[in-house]
Every structure is written in structure tokens, then in C-alpha cells.
Amino acid sequence: MRRFLRPGHDPVRERLKRDLFQFNKTVEHGFPHQPSALGYSPSLRILAIGTRSGAIKLYGAPGVEFMGLHRENNAVTQIHLLPGQCQLVTLLDDNSLHLWSLKVKGGASELQEDESFTLRGPPGAAPSATQITVVLPHSLCKLLYLGTESGNVFVVQLPAFRALEDRTISSDAVLQRLPEEARHRRVFEMVEALQEHPRDPNQILIGYSRGLVVIWDLQGSRVLYHFLSSQQLENIWWQRDGRLLVSCHSDGSYCQWPVSSDAQQPEPLRSLVPYGQCFTRRAGPTPAPAHCCFSVPARLPFTIFQGGMPRASYGDRHCISVIHDGQQTAFDFTSRVIDFTVLTEADPAAAFDDPYALVVLAEEELVVIDLQTAGWPPVQLPYLASLHCSAITCSHHVSNIPLKLWERIIAAGSQQNAHFSTMEWPIDGGTSLTPAPPQRDLLLTGHEDGTVRFWDASGVCLRLLYKLSTVRVFLTDTDPNENLSAQGEDEWPPLRKVGSFDPYSDDPRLGIQKIFLCKYSGYLAVAGTAGQVLVLELNDEAAEQAVEQVEADLLQDQEGYRWKGHERLAARSGPVRFEPGFQPFVLVQCQPPAVVTSLALHSEWRLVAFGTSHGFGLFDHQQRRQVFVKCTLHPSDQLALEGPLSRVKSLKKSLRQSFRRMRRSRVSSRKRRPAGTPGEVQEGSAKTERPGLQNMELAPVQRKIEARSAEDSFTGFVRTLYFADTYLRDSSRHCPSLWAGTNGGTIYAFSLRVPPAERRMDEPVRAEQAKEIQLMHRAPVVGILVLDGHSVPLPEPLEVAHDLSKSPDMQGSHQLLVVSEEQFKVFTLPKVSAKLKLKLTALEGSRVRRVSVAHFGSRRAEDYGEHHLAVLTNLGDIQVVSLPLLKPQVRYSCIRREDVSGIASCVFTKYGQGFYLISPSEFERFSLSTKWLVEPRCLVDSAETKNHRPGNGAGPKKVPSRARNSGTQSDGEEKQPGLVMERALLSDERVLKEIQSTLEGDRGSLNWHSHRAAMGRSLSNGGAE
């Protein structure tokens, strides 16, 4: 049978690949993009959020998550969880109703859509006749009462959505049953509110927008009570004992109406205007609880309402007010309030409500307020984190954090969380079935406001551990000690800022562009938009210290170059007080102050390397001195002097360069020889290549690479930096080295002399350029990696010292792997002669955007694993390439090729997982490994009714719902269209533009945008952290 197999097809290898590789999109971290509806089930203790793209997400205890997507990408306007059932009904803006169920399959719950329904009127009826405004699920039977714009209330039966026309409550029927004095006014328009009697399910309340409120008897089809207000109705609330109604109105007032069997009282019991005449906002596009009032035994009632602020002075504020026992606070949110709900004890037999938490869904974040603790502090979120509280500019993942460092980071973060409530997380429905994470992982995100946030990325829930701010190092317009939420005691209205979303940056130059953390030493390097490079050390105590400043002139006083971009940030000269955590001790300022494009830290040698569009440098942060700088500017790189915050790029020059490239492409195609391709690499010390490689015939799936001109702009742009202890000068001695790759296809290699530990502070670190390699096709260098004598990537700094890795083989010959945008090439060291290569550039124009080393463990054999390259292309494909033979293993379609910003934001982990932004506020997590799979799996039981207040759930988990397409894909297989949140988001061009502007910045020049989206993440020692 073997003679019938394709050449190179190995059945044993194919089986092994199935044990190593499997592609899954597992979970979405962060806050849903553009939320539009909120729902809550007191019996299940489950929170539901709907979005404008048609997605619904359910959250319970930490790790209990579900996601579904409507087939029509219409906005979700309302979500209603059916009482006592694992079912919910959604209303979309196309007037369609959808029934969803949580069904148990294989021991875990899954969210599935069961039925859909559109309410239709008689032929010729106006669309408003059946346009749904309010949905009321009845508690005793599976009925939905649907209020409409025409004033009629329709009834449908679940689960089949069968319309019960004989139970329709028409506006005419209500009008006929009103007293004579109430019929003379035009009291009917759309239904604004529907409520079921808290004690008697045979009574429902109907509120009309013109101010009429009636209590309707379902059995007798009659009006029991009616209430008439002179103001437009916004919403209504019914007290638990059924004896009091509270209505809120458009003039900023709310009224209390008694419900009794006595004579009808036409006037309200009380009418209050808490902030004066104004406009009471409605939460979102649908009626929402704009007012709530709770009677509490032995205590004064809570009054909670949205809006009501004076329009002239506070018309732009998004507020929810809480009044209780003489205390009044207007919680001020930085984004529009969509909806809110109040959590109370779920015991239906209780005589009074007992509110303990206020849950507010804003447009950009979720906020939970503790109503039982004095001062009403916020509750810390275990999930639904607002990742984009300041726009994300970069990210960095570190795997397998040592326990000591983990505890120190958590301890520093806990001191920042003193303002949070000690209440356990109140939304705790469901049970997480996912086992505890096997290791501790960190995801670090850099932000536009100069902060770095540390996230626990070990499991399903992405939880904030610690926030580092670099603002204190620099002089800005805002005092770092200023409390923006502080307000005088006598000021009115009593506003208090809540939430973490703050999209405004004091200075765009503060933006973080590169992050590098050493998990063994606790050293951290961060680099920013204005050429600032900070080296920080973890300190458990607060300290007041001066940050030493060193300037690195990358132009080396070259004449004829003039920087046209932004100025450097002014650093504080005196001592600065830093809170416990990572504290900076040295600032390296690049000149010109261009964006730092690459960063590498070697904590064992105490060296940090940095690169910009002008060159790169090496800094000794132990002796606080500069080792060397290297200018990489080409004479044609004038655009590199314009800066990312400048718009002075010449359109004529851009067009001229484009036409030159087109002409060169035509000429080279006419001169192309039919066989072979010349060697692509020249190297400075040994410019020879094996003749066999020069005449190698191209594989069918590859094409010849177009050579790029040295005159192309940004050729000196430093794309990657890499430290390695290898054979650079001769094969008898290995030495520390620094490698740098540029946008013009040039690789610089510097040999380093690092003094031994006993003389480290006495002798300087010395560097000397040993080699310069120029790729013939001049494609940008995306990654550099050195393999030891066993063809294994060199370990991370200090990894061997901590007995977490084997010592590298320094006996056999080392190999150098250079990854450009268009090909992979392996060279022998120290001669730098080409050994083998792989061209990933296919006919459709694929380019490498990200590359990282990952370890893939077998799901069958615990002790077996392989190191491979994980590669992301500009087409959104992910490929796994073997080391050191460079053989493609598998290929998966991961990100849509149109999602340029999603591709630019992708980061790989050390164990075959990855993250990328599907919206400005959400990371999609995926896995290429069969062994390392962080996927939520949970169970929700409809019989589960908790009467106790919830606690923080255990570990994080979620279920594989029908909405998520997670399955193995073979090499070259296209991904089947699944109902994934990403598809809904990326079908909206506005979302794509928003992500791109977040990552690239509106202030970036056109040339910077094009190159930054393509910028690859440099390989660190041993691969991704």
C-alpha cells in the first residue's frame, strides 16, 4: 500500500500531528462591544448582556459563561430571562422575538436558540401596530405579554410563539372600561411599561406614554384601577406588597400612587423632583427601569433612579442616583448608561425587598455597587473587565509565572484596590466544571495613557491583578495625585465618579508601545511613543527616589537630518514617590524621540536593547551607562524623521515611490529567468552561499520573491532585537551577542563582553560589531532565533539557573534562523553560510506578520513535546513550521484578512495559545495545542434557587455553545462559517476602523500606519515568554 501514498506522506507523522496540533477558538476576554440590553434572573443568578451586533452573553459565577449569536446581525434591544426556567427571550430591533435555552449535553450546559417569531398585524396595518416596545414574561404560565406602539397588548404562548388573539388587550377595550372622566383626553399612545402584580398573577399593570396607568384584571378583562399623570411616562415600578406604585416622568419627577380598594384617588400620594425640572433619560433604546423603590424592614426605603439631572448644567452626564436614610449620591459614569438592575433577596415569600447590590451596564463597562456597606463602594469585577479603559496599544504574554513573583504582584495590586467593597461577587449562578489552571500566566497590556495592566490569563476569566502607571516619571498637565472624583461636601448635585473607563489621555506621547518582563528577576522594561525606555524593578514597599536619566543619540550627530516630529517628554528631576510594585530606576531617552519599535531585556547580563526607526542601542542598567548606539538610517529615510504624531508626509513622494516600485516589478518580470533564483542573502564577513541552493528549483506553492529597493522608506526601521550566547566569531569560543533586524532586510550582530559577576560593577560592558547580513530581497526581518547543538532554541535568561530548563548544548554547531516577511532561512554559525530555507510567500501574496517559538505537548504522552514556530500571516492564517527543518505542519484560518488591526494585535504564548483583538474591548483567545486548552465548561440547573447571598466562585470556565465554532481543522482546510461573535463584529466596518484607530492612533502618519500594522514581535530567548 505504501507505493500508493503521496511522496513524503508519513502515516506515523500524521498521527503524531493529530496528537500535537488542534485549532480552537476558546473564549472571549473583556467587555462586549457596543452592549444594548441587560437582563437578570434572580432564581438562576445569571446576568445576560445583548449587543448591537446580535450577540448575547450570559455570566454567572466566575467561569460560568455562555455566548450565542443571532443569525441576523440585528441589535438586541431587550433580554428577558423566564422566571424559574433556563430560558430567555430576546427582542431584536427588527421586531423579532427569539427563544433561547440552556440545555445539558455531555454533562455541561449549552446555549441554543429554539424558536424565533415576528409579530405581524392584519394586512394593510401600519408597522407601528405591531412594533413591540415592552415584553413581560408571565410567572405562572409560559405566556409573553407584548406591549406595542399602537397601545395594544398582544399575548403569545411559549415555546412555540403561538399568538393568542382572544387574549389581546386592545387600547379600545381599555378605553371602554375607563370612567367617563378619563376618556376625554388622548391618553393612549405606545405602551411604555408592563408589570405583573407582585402577589396576584391575575393582575398586570399597563403604562402608556401619555401618562395613563391601568391595572388590568386578566380573568375578568376589566380595569381595576387607573392613574392619570399630566406628564409623559418614562417607566414604572410596583412595590413588593402591591400597595404602592412609583412612576417616573420626562420632567425629572417621580410620583407615588397608592393602590387600594378605596375610592379612586386621582392625585398622587407624593410627587418629587429631586434635581429640579429637567429631562429624565431612558436607559437605551427600550424602556428600562428608570426608577426603583425598595421597602426594607426596620430601615428607610431605597430610592434608585436614572437621569433626572438638570439639563442646562448636567445634560452631558450619565447618572444613576441612590437615596437612602438621608444620604443621596449621583453615581456619574463616563459612558452612556444602557440599563441597570437591583439585586435583592430572591425569596418570593418575603414581605419586603432587601436590596444589596446595584448592577449598572454602561456603554463601555459594567459597574456593581455594594448597597449594604457604608459609602456604597464599588465591587471588584472577576470578569467583564474594561480592557479598553484606556486604548490598548500593545500586549505581552508571560507563561508559567513563579509563585513568589505572582504573590508579590497580587500584593501590590491589593493595595490599589482598597476602595473596593469586600462583598463577594453577587452574580454567582451555575457551576464551573473546568479544572483549576495548571500554571500561572500573565497578559500585560500597554495603554495610551502610559499605564501597563497586569491580567491573570491563567483561566477563562481575565482578571486585573495590578496597574502600573508611568505618568509620575514625567511632567504632564495633570497632577498624578489629583483625585478626579473628589467633590466638596456641600456641592449639589452630589456627583461621584465611578467606573474605570477613561478614554482621554493627558498626552499621547505617554502611550506604551513595547513591554518586556523577566519573570525570574522581576525586572520590567517598557518603552513609549516619545522614545522613552523605562527599566523598573519590583519593590514591595513604597519608595521616594529620583529616576536617573540617560540620553541615547541614535543619529550620532549625523548632518543633514532634522527631526520634524513631536518633542520628548519632560522628565521630573527630583525624587518621585512610587507606590509598592514596579518602580522605575532609570530612564533612557532616545533622540530623536521617535516611537520605540523593538525592545529586549536580558536580566542575567543586566542589559536592555531598544530600537526605533533611526537605529538601536544597548544600555547597561546595572552600571547605568550606555554601551553603544547604532544608526540604521538610509539616505532615503527622510520619512523616518517625521514622527508618528506628524502629518507632513509628502503625497507626491509617496506616489512617486509607488510608481517606481511598479516599474521595477514590470522590468524584473521581463528579465526573470525560468529556472532557479539567485541566493537571497549576503553577509558582511562571508558572502558565499552553497551553489546547490542558488539553483534550487522552486516548489509549486512558492514563487520568486520580488527584490525591494534600498530606496524604499523606513529601511532603517528596527523590527526585532535578540540576545543570544552563541558562536559568533569562531567555533571555539561562544560569547554573548546582540542581534538586530531592520525593515530593509539587514541583520546586525554585535559580540558583547560582559564582565564576570565579581567585577561587574568595576568593568564596563563592551560591544563590537561582528557581522552584517543583507537579505537580497530586502524583506523586513520579523524574527531572529539561535538554535543550540541539538537544534533546540536557547533557553530564556536565568531559566537554567532556576533549574527550569536544560542547559543548551554548546558542543555542537549552532544555527541562526532569520525570519523575514517572505521567507525563513537557516544559517550555520559562526560562518553564516545558508543551510536551508522555506518561502511562505504564496501566490496570493502572503506575508509573515507574527512569529514565535512554542512548545507543543502531546495529549497522549505526557513526557513528549516538540518546539515549533507559530506563524501568523497578513491573510489571517496561522501556520506551524517545524524546527530546525522548516517543514510546514498545519495551517489554520484564524483571523479575517480584512481585519488588519486584529492581525496586528495578535500575541502568541509559549505553549501554543494566542490572543488578538476582535473589538477595542475584547480579546479572542485561541489554541493551536491539543494539550493546552483554556475553554469554559459549566452547568446551570433550573432547579437551582439560591436564597443566600453569593460568594466569589471558584476558577474560571465556559461552555462550548452552538455559537462557537471550535473544532479541529486539517492542513489547508477552510474554517466553516460558525456563529462566532467575531464574525458579527468584523462585518461592521465601523468596528474595524475603531480597532485600527485604537492600535495605530489617529495621530500616526500614513507611512507609520502601514508599517506598524505589519510590525512583527521579536523572538525572545526560547520563544514567546
Side-chain angles (χ1 to χ4, degrees), residues 552-558 590-592 610-617 629-632:
D553 183 12
L554 296 178
L555 292 182
Q556 298 175 308
D557 300 323
Q558 294 193 29
C590 299
Q591 287 289 7
F610 50 89
T612 71
S613 55
H614 307 116
F616 61 96
V629 291
K630 170 71 175 178
C631 181
T632 58

Side-chain angles (χ1 to χ4, degrees), residues 430-564:
T431 303
S432 176
L433 305 178
T434 307
Q439 63 181 30
R440 296 167 293 272
D441 291 349
L442 276 179
L443 179 65
L444 282 67
T445 54
H447 297 265
E448 190 181 43
D449 62 353
T451 60
V452 178
R453 286 170 168 81
F454 292 65
W455 305 92
D456 177 4
S458 311
V460 174
C461 294
L462 195 67
R463 183 169 59 95
L464 181 64
L465 299 180
Y466 166 71
K467 184 180 79 170
L468 163 70
S469 177
T470 63
V471 178
R472 290 178 179 271
V473 180
F474 305 100
L475 294 170
T476 60
D477 296 335
T478 303
D479 183 0
N481 297 316
E482 181 181 352
N483 185 4
L484 297 178
S485 62
Q487 187 172 358
E489 295 181 359
D490 299 330
E491 290 191 25
W492 189 262
L495 294 171
R496 186 204 299 177
K497 286 280 187 184
V498 288
S500 61
F501 179 72
D502 184 12
Y504 306 107
S505 174
D506 297 330
D507 193 327
R509 296 174 297 173
L510 290 168
I512 305 298
Q513 298 297 330
K514 291 293 173 183
I515 306 171
F516 203 109
L517 171 66
C518 175
K519 60 186 177 183
Y520 302 111
S521 64
Y523 283 110
L524 172 69
V526 296
T529 303
Q532 69 271 27
V533 180
L534 284 169
V535 185
L536 306 94
E537 190 173 15
L538 189 57
N539 190 350
D540 298 329
E541 303 292 336
E544 187 170 350
Q545 61 189 30
V547 179
E548 188 168 338
Q549 303 174 33
V550 179
E551 185 173 301
D553 183 12
L554 296 178
L555 292 182
Q556 298 175 308
D557 300 323
Q558 294 193 29
E559 297 182 359
Y561 291 99
R562 184 172 62 89
W563 172 246
K564 304 175 185 177

Side-chain angles (χ1 to χ4, degrees), residues 54 171 248 269 451 547 657 674 748 897 900 914 925:
S171 56
C248 55
L269 191 66
T451 60
V547 179
Q657 291 173 342
Y748 299 94
R897 66 174 67 189
V900 177
R925 187 174 191 147

Side-chain angles (χ1 to χ4, degrees), residues 246-260:
V246 182
S247 60
C248 55
H249 303 277
S250 60
D251 65 341
S253 66
Y254 64 90
C255 304
Q256 299 178 0
W257 308 83
V259 180
S260 66

Side-chain angles (χ1 to χ4, degrees), residues 740-759:
T742 71
N743 211 52
T746 305
I747 299 103
Y748 299 94
F750 281 76
S751 63
L752 308 176
R753 183 187 174 277
V754 181
E758 60 272 12
R759 300 194 304 274

Side-chain angles (χ1 to χ4, degrees), residues 361-377:
L361 176 66
E363 201 166 38
E364 304 293 350
E365 62 186 331
L366 183 81
V367 178
V368 178
I369 306 294
D370 179 4
L371 296 179
Q372 291 193 323
T373 304
W376 302 327

Side-chain angles (χ1 to χ4, degrees), residues 198-199 239-241 295 297 344-354 947:
R199 302 292 185 189
Q239 189 170 290
R240 171 71 72 91
D241 58 7
S295 297
T344 64
E345 288 298 340
D347 185 7
F352 298 95
D353 291 308
D354 191 4
N947 292 324

